[in-house]
Amino acid sequence: MTAKAPALRFNCFLLREGLTSPERAFRSQYLPGAAKGMRKLATSPAAPKGCVAYLRDRSEKTPAWAKLLAPVFSELHAVQNFSNRLVIFLPVNDRTFAICFGYGSSTLEWSWIEANFGLKFAARRFDSKKMSGLGSRRIDASARSQWVQIPANSPINEFEIELDGEFTRKLVGKLDAGIEFPDLGAVVATDSVSFKIDTNLVMVQDILKKMLDTAETATANKDLAFIDALEPLRLKSTIVKDLEKLLVDELFGDRARKPQGTPLQQLPVSSLGVHVLSFAPPDDASVENLHDFVVQKGEAREVFEVMNLDALRETLRRFPGKFGVSSLSDIKILARDSNGDAVSMAKPLKHWLIFEAGDASKRYLLTLGKWYSLAEKYSEKLDQDLSQIEDVTEILNLRAWDDWGPKQSYEEHYNEKATDKRSDLICLDRYRLFAEDGDQVEACDLLHADGYLIHVKPYTGSQTLSHLFSQGFVSAQTIISDKKYRQDFIDAVNSINPGLTEAASNVPPKFVTYAVAFDGDQKIPQDLPTFSKVNLRSFSKRVRLLGSIPTIARIQVTFKKKK
């Protein structure tokens, strides 16, 4: 029996065009000759033409837990962590792939890696009925990431994920039938593509050539077309340059350097509304391992620990001078664990930001360092779906938000005033109702006699709306599933206004209403941020599945809150 050739999992990153030499793709500290530099390995005739490998082996360090516990367990004095890094640069057509082993990927300068290559290939050649894993990030202020794994060879619809509104970051599955590729087993697609094959670099080179051709010329599978809903923008395009000027102005404020050429106020992007700006770690930084963040600007370094935009801004202000568009790339951020070891690549500042700006006709997004526009067909379908949600603004006739009341009680103050001289409306804001498991669940802010459970929020951004949409669904679900909570809700309504007891007794609730207050002339849902629209559509679907009718309403704010 012929012995099976040894196999190895290859993790392959496509490098961007424009490098004068592959080794320039290394981060500065790993350049050959640097203190931590990679060393070039000798090659043999078995290596494909132009193939070259670099190694940094056996770096060692005592982990923090060993140092701290050594006084208790003396043998921990001898504990060491060892790591090796190997990167093979493999030419394919007129491009170059970096094939990484061990901690090899951490040596690469991220700006030289072609974003989304693996996923672009996966959308065109994965079999949607043979999937085993999906990782995604929601593009809103929460920047929530998730990873779902199910038994191999399952249809993608069994993942039970609302793929709309998710920026897919990882797919695991098998390729569809075809003679172009051998059996690669489970293929992992992210920015890179990872597969298992014989340790024959000529064969690997041939496979990568076919993958590159597929990614550049083929059409996405209809079941995976959501991957292409966000259309990448060219790095050096005029719109990206202008969007980065807008981002700099929003992020740095009075420390932003005036852009060269046309003033920002005269550029088309100045009319776009900024819907989202938040700080979020890139995917290679595992949140549970994060201890602090190192910000590098030239030779200067600053450290902060709290993972939010305010902490980032405060840290950036410690650096002298003004900030321009180049700061988005020149300033680097590195995440560290409690040992002080890097748990992410040192990536440019813009890789740590989530940004969305747009108007009724166009939406632009920055996530993981890449700019996108939302595909027009996606926007049209989204608006079409949302048009099915009934606008009950005129039916409810909610009063204008004309003052803000006591500090920290703005919403409660409005909800109480909203019921003035109204026999058909009662306020349940901050009314303490508890589910059987002890959790406090707010049934609604206002209850209307016709059965509308009204949830009220002033518009302050995507995160506020995410909470609002979730709140409406959770309260309706709890009323349906929790008998004790439902009875407490009915009793509370009866104690306030017995005339509305019948409205509170509907199971499921007749209507779930999302009432959003605006201080301008924004329309709902047309002028909501894109992924707030997606959240609204998603939670509206869930509300319908409960048997309730989702509705929306608009409240006009006529009083400006004092800062």
Side-chain angles (χ1 to χ4, degrees):
M1 184 175 178
T2 306
K4 188 175 181 180
L8 194 64
R9 179 160 288 278
F10 290 82
N11 191 27
C12 310
F13 294 86
L14 177 62
L15 299 185
R16 293 186 185 276
E17 296 175 294
L19 276 172
T20 55
S21 168
E23 70 178 33
R24 303 305 302 175
F26 287 127
R27 290 163 55 196
S28 57
Q29 63 265 48
Y30 292 108
L31 287 170
K36 295 182 179 180
M38 304 284 281
R39 62 183 176 88
K40 187 176 180 179
L41 301 181
T43 56
S44 72
K49 183 180 179 181
C51 174
V52 60
Y54 292 83
L55 174 69
R56 176 169 171 76
D57 58 346
R58 227 181 135 70
S59 57
E60 57 188 65
K61 191 172 187 178
T62 303
W65 51 264
K67 291 179 183 177
L68 295 173
L69 291 173
V72 183
F73 305 101
S74 60
E75 292 175 74
L76 294 179
H77 282 294
V79 171
Q80 296 286 306
N81 276 340
F82 297 94
S83 61
N84 296 282
R85 296 171 170 85
L86 174 65
V87 178
I88 300 172
F89 293 115
L90 187 64
V92 176
N93 293 349
D94 57 350
R95 304 293 296 274
T96 300
F97 280 85
I99 304 174
C100 301
F101 300 93
Y103 290 87
S105 62
S106 67
T107 68
L108 298 175
E109 173 59 55
W110 197 254
S111 59
W112 283 111
I113 293 173
E114 191 77 62
N116 234 37
F117 166 73
L119 287 165
K120 194 173 181 181
F121 167 74
R124 286 150 179 78
R125 286 306 304 266
F126 269 29
D127 186 336
S128 62
K129 295 180 175 58
K130 295 182 179 180
M131 308 289 294
S132 57
L134 186 149
S136 65
R137 167 177 280 181
R138 181 159 289 274
I139 306 179
D140 61 13
S142 68
R144 184 261 307 139
S145 295
Q146 64 178 335
W147 166 247
V148 180
Q149 191 167 8
I150 59 177
N153 299 330
S154 299
I156 196 166
N157 57 15
E158 290 187 11
F159 282 81
E160 297 183 353
I161 293 179
E162 283 283 347
L163 293 171
D164 285 339
E166 299 285 342
F167 182 61
T168 305
R169 298 303 306 138
K170 183 177 182 179
L171 287 177
V172 182
K174 291 192 173 183
L175 303 186
D176 58 13
I179 61 173
E180 302 100 317
F181 300 101
D183 181 14
L184 302 179
V187 176
V188 182
T190 57
D191 284 312
S192 66
V193 61
S194 174
F195 53 88
K196 196 170 185 180
I197 195 66
D198 296 349
T199 53
N200 180 336
L201 288 179
V202 174
M203 184 181 295
V204 173
Q205 190 178 43
D206 183 55
I207 290 170
L208 291 174
K209 178 184 182 303
K210 293 169 181 173
M211 289 183 170
L212 184 59
D213 291 342
T214 299
E216 291 177 343
T217 62
T219 303
N221 180 324
K222 64 180 179 65
D223 291 332
L224 299 174
F226 60 86
I227 292 175
D228 288 343
L230 296 178
E231 299 175 346
L233 298 174
R234 290 177 61 86
L235 185 64
K236 296 183 180 180
S237 64
T238 300
I239 185 61
V240 165
K241 292 177 182 178
D242 291 349
L243 285 167
E244 293 195 342
K245 293 173 185 177
L246 179 64
L247 172 57
V248 165
D249 186 69
E250 189 73 20
L251 178 62
F252 297 110
D254 60 355
R255 294 283 298 278
R257 186 182 297 118
K258 290 184 179 179
Q260 295 180 346
T262 307
L264 175 62
Q265 293 74 15
Q266 297 178 22
L267 294 174
V269 297
S270 65
S271 64
L272 300 178
V274 174
H275 299 301
V276 178
L277 175 57
S278 63
F279 175 75
D283 287 345
D284 69 328
S286 180
V287 175
E288 61 269 18
N289 294 326
L290 296 186
H291 177 69
D292 61 19
F293 305 89
V294 180
V295 184
Q296 305 168 357
K297 186 175 185 289
E299 298 298 319
R301 291 158 56 94
E302 294 287 350
V303 178
F304 69 99
E305 295 184 359
V306 182
M307 193 173 65
N308 62 35
L309 186 65
D310 288 340
L312 171 65
R313 277 180 165 143
E314 182 182 341
T315 305
L316 291 170
R317 294 186 74 86
R318 296 179 207 156
F319 294 101
K322 296 278 189 177
F323 299 91
V325 169
S326 61
S327 300
L328 298 175
S329 299
D330 295 342
I331 295 175
K332 303 287 199 304
I333 299 181
L334 176 76
R336 301 189 301 190
D337 61 18
S338 57
N339 293 323
D341 292 331
V343 294
S344 74
M345 299 182 187
K347 293 184 178 178
L349 171 61
K350 67 180 179 181
H351 284 254
W352 297 78
L353 299 173
I354 303 288
F355 184 71
E356 179 189 345
D359 53 28
S361 60
K362 272 289 182 184
R363 294 291 164 135
Y364 299 101
L365 307 157
L366 171 71
T367 184
L368 301 168
K370 186 77 173 175
W371 286 98
Y372 298 87
S373 65
L374 195 67
E376 188 175 349
K377 59 185 178 182
Y378 181 91
S379 298
E380 290 175 355
K381 181 65 166 63
L382 183 57
D383 287 339
Q384 181 183 346
D385 291 345
L386 291 179
S387 68
Q388 306 303 312
I389 303 174
E390 184 183 3
D391 186 335
V392 294
T393 301
E394 294 186 5
I395 294 174
L396 297 179
N397 192 28
L398 297 174
R399 67 173 294 148
W401 202 316
D402 54 9
D403 75 278
W404 287 87
K407 188 177 180 181
Q408 305 302 326
S409 300
Y410 308 124
E411 291 180 37
E412 185 177 14
H413 177 75
Y414 170 79
N415 290 326
E416 288 173 350
K417 286 192 67 176
T419 63
D420 286 353
K421 301 177 182 179
R422 297 275 301 255
S423 60
D424 60 346
L425 203 63
I426 62 171
C427 175
L428 286 159
D429 187 10
R430 314 297 167 91
Y431 209 101
R432 295 171 65 85
L433 294 172
F434 294 90
E436 286 183 348
D437 59 8
D439 287 345
Q440 185 173 349
V441 180
E442 189 175 88
C444 56
D445 293 308
L446 302 168
L447 176 66
H448 189 273
D450 290 337
Y452 294 91
L453 272 68
I454 307 168
H455 300 269
V456 177
K457 283 285 182 207
Y459 175 69
T460 57
S462 295
Q463 200 161 13
T464 302
L465 295 182
S466 294
H467 175 72
L468 174 69
F469 301 149
S470 174
Q471 183 183 54
F473 168 74
V474 170
S475 71
Q477 185 181 51
T478 307
I479 288 171
I480 295 168
S481 62
D482 190 326
K483 292 182 179 179
K484 176 185 177 300
Y485 178 85
R486 180 166 65 248
Q487 189 57 54
D488 288 349
F489 170 52
I490 294 171
D491 291 345
V493 172
N494 188 59
S495 68
I496 300 170
N497 184 344
L500 271 67
T501 303
E502 183 179 347
S505 302
N506 294 319
V507 180
K510 194 172 181 181
F511 301 102
V512 173
T513 302
Y514 298 117
V516 183
F518 295 97
D519 61 3
D521 58 0
Q522 301 97 323
K523 298 180 178 64
I524 182 171
Q526 296 95 315
D527 292 333
L528 294 180
T530 301
F531 289 96
S532 292
K533 290 183 179 182
V534 172
N535 269 335
L536 175 57
R537 179 172 64 178
S538 174
F539 279 107
S540 294
K541 286 180 182 177
R542 299 185 201 184
V543 167
R544 286 193 184 97
L545 289 174
L546 294 177
S548 301
I549 299 173
T551 58
I552 53 176
R554 189 186 187 285
I555 299 169
Q556 183 62 51
V557 177
T558 60
F559 183 87
K560 298 290 185 181
K561 180 175 63 174
K562 292 181 180 179
K563 292 186 179 180

Short mmCIF file of all heavy atoms in Angstrom, two decimals, residues 21 24 83 157 171 234 254 269 276 292 381 413 463:
data_model
loop_
_atom_site.label_atom_id
_atom_site.label_comp_id
_atom_site.label_asym_id
_atom_site.label_seq_id
_atom_site.Cartn_x
_atom_site.Cartn_y
_atom_site.Cartn_z
N SER A 21 9.77 44.57 -2.90
CA SER A 21 10.34 43.30 -2.48
C SER A 21 9.40 42.68 -1.46
O SER A 21 8.85 43.39 -0.61
CB SER A 21 11.73 43.51 -1.85
OG SER A 21 12.17 42.33 -1.21
N ARG A 24 9.49 43.56 2.25
CA ARG A 24 9.00 44.86 2.71
C ARG A 24 7.62 44.73 3.35
O ARG A 24 7.12 45.69 3.96
CB ARG A 24 8.95 45.86 1.55
CG ARG A 24 10.26 46.09 0.82
CD ARG A 24 11.38 46.51 1.73
NE ARG A 24 11.09 47.72 2.48
CZ ARG A 24 11.88 48.23 3.42
NH1 ARG A 24 12.99 47.61 3.74
NH2 ARG A 24 11.54 49.34 4.05
N SER A 83 7.86 30.54 21.02
CA SER A 83 7.11 30.80 19.80
C SER A 83 8.04 30.81 18.60
O SER A 83 9.20 31.20 18.71
CB SER A 83 6.37 32.14 19.91
OG SER A 83 7.28 33.20 20.07
N ASN A 157 -28.50 28.07 5.98
CA ASN A 157 -29.68 28.58 6.67
C ASN A 157 -29.89 27.93 8.04
O ASN A 157 -30.73 28.36 8.82
CB ASN A 157 -30.94 28.42 5.80
CG ASN A 157 -31.20 26.98 5.39
OD1 ASN A 157 -30.63 26.04 5.94
ND2 ASN A 157 -32.07 26.81 4.40
N LEU A 171 -15.65 32.22 7.15
CA LEU A 171 -16.50 31.12 6.73
C LEU A 171 -15.68 29.85 6.73
O LEU A 171 -14.50 29.85 6.33
CB LEU A 171 -17.05 31.35 5.32
CG LEU A 171 -18.15 32.40 5.12
CD1 LEU A 171 -18.48 32.52 3.64
CD2 LEU A 171 -19.39 32.05 5.91
N ARG A 234 -11.90 51.79 -3.77
CA ARG A 234 -10.47 51.83 -4.07
C ARG A 234 -9.76 52.76 -3.09
O ARG A 234 -10.22 53.87 -2.80
CB ARG A 234 -10.23 52.31 -5.50
CG ARG A 234 -10.66 51.29 -6.55
CD ARG A 234 -10.48 51.84 -7.94
NE ARG A 234 -9.08 52.16 -8.21
CZ ARG A 234 -8.18 51.28 -8.65
NH1 ARG A 234 -8.56 50.03 -8.88
NH2 ARG A 234 -6.95 51.63 -8.89
N ASP A 254 -11.03 69.90 17.27
CA ASP A 254 -10.20 71.10 17.14
C ASP A 254 -8.73 70.79 16.92
O ASP A 254 -7.93 71.70 16.63
CB ASP A 254 -10.37 72.01 18.36
CG ASP A 254 -9.97 71.31 19.67
OD1 ASP A 254 -9.67 70.10 19.62
OD2 ASP A 254 -9.98 71.98 20.71
N VAL A 269 -18.85 65.36 0.70
CA VAL A 269 -19.04 64.53 1.90
C VAL A 269 -19.46 65.35 3.11
O VAL A 269 -19.94 64.79 4.11
CB VAL A 269 -17.75 63.73 2.25
CG1 VAL A 269 -17.40 62.75 1.15
CG2 VAL A 269 -16.58 64.67 2.54
N VAL A 276 -22.26 56.69 12.85
CA VAL A 276 -21.53 55.81 13.77
C VAL A 276 -20.06 56.21 13.78
O VAL A 276 -19.46 56.43 12.73
CB VAL A 276 -21.62 54.32 13.33
CG1 VAL A 276 -20.80 53.44 14.28
CG2 VAL A 276 -23.06 53.84 13.29
N ASP A 292 -4.45 45.97 27.79
CA ASP A 292 -4.32 47.38 27.48
C ASP A 292 -3.95 47.57 26.01
O ASP A 292 -3.80 46.59 25.27
CB ASP A 292 -3.31 48.07 28.41
CG ASP A 292 -1.90 47.49 28.29
OD1 ASP A 292 -1.59 46.83 27.27
OD2 ASP A 292 -1.09 47.69 29.22
N LYS A 381 -33.67 47.05 -1.41
CA LYS A 381 -34.41 45.95 -0.78
C LYS A 381 -34.70 46.26 0.69
O LYS A 381 -35.80 46.00 1.20
CB LYS A 381 -33.61 44.66 -0.89
CG LYS A 381 -34.29 43.42 -0.28
CD LYS A 381 -35.57 43.08 -1.05
CE LYS A 381 -36.09 41.69 -0.71
NZ LYS A 381 -36.48 41.56 0.70
N HIS A 413 -39.48 62.04 32.24
CA HIS A 413 -40.21 63.31 32.26
C HIS A 413 -41.11 63.42 31.03
O HIS A 413 -42.28 63.80 31.14
CB HIS A 413 -39.22 64.47 32.32
CG HIS A 413 -39.86 65.81 32.28
ND1 HIS A 413 -40.52 66.37 33.36
CD2 HIS A 413 -39.97 66.73 31.27
CE1 HIS A 413 -40.99 67.56 33.03
NE2 HIS A 413 -40.67 67.81 31.77
N GLN A 463 -26.46 52.86 18.74
CA GLN A 463 -26.51 52.03 19.94
C GLN A 463 -27.82 52.22 20.69
O GLN A 463 -28.42 51.26 21.19
CB GLN A 463 -25.32 52.35 20.84
CG GLN A 463 -25.01 51.24 21.83
CD GLN A 463 -23.61 51.36 22.38
OE1 GLN A 463 -22.95 52.38 22.23
NE2 GLN A 463 -23.13 50.33 23.03
#
